[in-house]
Amino acid sequence: MITGILSLLCTSQLAVAVVNWLATLLAIPLPLPRMDFSKGIPPESRTLAVVPTMLTSAQGIENLIEALEVRFLANRDDNLHFGLLTDFQDASVETLPEDEPLLLLARQRIQELNKKYWNEKAIFFSFSTVRADGMPLKESGWATNARGGSWQT
């Protein structure tokens, strides 16, 4: 009985290996199209790199802003912008007392980055969701926020 199980296991492993090997021989790889941004991002390909995150503490916001600045410094381009898409922790009410100070701190730090690296237009953005209908975000989800909640920039 044990010999039969071991034989079945070995045979199935061998069969999977053979199928995988044959697939690599028979499948012809096609090159993926590439975008050449070696001379910078053209205006028609302007990009916003957004980092989704939760606002939980002042120190967390400071860390997020520092990381956003590092991303900018490592990827400077006139047509590349950076943003934070922030969310709050779940709650049974629409707003908590700690929400507003955290949101204001995040917006203030984004404004400071824009002043520091101003280039005739904003580089950094902050997008925030609010809890919809007093329901926890876990229950309300993106669809409800897009329909019934509000977006603040």
Side-chain angles (χ1 to χ4, degrees), residues 32-92:
L32 295 173
R34 294 185 343 181
M35 298 176 148
D36 182 14
F37 293 133
S38 60
K39 295 180 176 116
I41 300 172
E44 63 272 9
S45 297
R46 188 172 56 191
T47 302
L48 174 63
V50 178
V51 178
T53 188
M54 292 188 70
L55 299 180
T56 57
S57 69
Q59 184 58 48
I61 292 170
E62 298 295 345
N63 293 341
L64 286 167
I65 296 298
E66 181 181 350
L68 201 63
E69 184 177 14
V70 168
R71 287 180 180 100
F72 164 73
L73 293 172
N75 300 285
R76 284 188 164 199
D77 192 287
D78 287 343
N79 293 309
L80 181 58
H81 306 276
F82 298 87
L84 291 178
L85 174 60
T86 61
D87 214 342
F88 295 109
Q89 295 182 19
D90 288 346
S92 59

Side-chain angles (χ1 to χ4, degrees), residues 92-112:
S92 59
V93 293
E94 190 170 346
T95 59
L96 293 175
E98 60 268 18
D99 290 351
E100 190 65 24
L102 292 174
L103 187 58
L104 289 174
L105 178 62
R107 286 184 180 165
Q108 178 186 359
R109 294 296 185 259
I110 290 290
Q111 289 172 353
E112 289 171 2

